[in-house]
Amino acid sequence: MKTMKTQLKRTLTLLLALTLLAGILSPSASAVDELDERIKSIGLRNANSVIIGEDESLSIAAGNRTYFYVFPADKDGNPIDKLYSFSCTIDYESSDSSVASVNSNGTITARSAGEITITVSLPDYPDFPKRELVVI
């Protein structure tokens, strides 16, 4: 009986150690990893993969739909070599969804004529600069 209890205790200890090593119960497992230090801004590309500059806007006729891609960028908005996407949550918000809405994948649906601003943010990093895109 004593040997069986000892064996069970050792097995449970081993399982707990392996679980901790795997990061399943680690306190940092739920914490968000730090962004790569080269990432300084949120870059945007249109549906044709053309980079949308900070001062550029996107035009969509009412009733149409388009999308844009988000990518990690340097301080000048240029793509960072070998970093193709963010590994964190990306939020999209329209300033007026009656003019145009944006879904969680970055698809914009124009509903009526007007001008709105789409704000792209990284909620896991609230201090990281947001990116705004004017849609006409």
Side-chain angles (χ1 to χ4, degrees), residues 36-45 49-56 69-86 128 131:
D36 185 300
E37 64 185 22
R38 298 172 294 167
I39 302 172
K40 302 297 182 199
S41 65
I42 299 171
L44 302 178
R45 293 181 190 270
S49 293
V50 176
I51 294 176
I52 303 169
E54 288 281 341
D55 298 327
E56 296 179 294
Y69 302 103
V70 174
F71 63 89
D74 64 16
K75 65 180 178 62
D76 298 318
N78 299 313
I80 297 173
D81 189 38
K82 298 186 182 178
L83 285 179
Y84 304 108
S85 64
F86 287 100
F128 194 81
R131 173 71 189 268

Side-chain angles (χ1 to χ4, degrees), residues 58-122:
L58 194 60
S59 294
I60 309 170
N64 287 335
R65 180 180 294 187
T66 191
Y67 55 92
F68 60 93
Y69 302 103
V70 174
F71 63 89
D74 64 16
K75 65 180 178 62
D76 298 318
N78 299 313
I80 297 173
D81 189 38
K82 298 186 182 178
L83 285 179
Y84 304 108
S85 64
F86 287 100
S87 60
C88 61
T89 304
I90 301 169
D91 277 352
Y92 303 89
E93 184 180 341
S94 169
S95 62
D96 185 350
S97 58
S98 68
V99 174
S101 61
V102 60
N103 70 13
S104 61
N105 297 318
T107 300
I108 303 168
T109 303
R111 301 190 187 291
S112 63
E115 181 175 308
I116 60 140
T117 301
I118 300 290
T119 303
V120 182
S121 63
L122 308 177

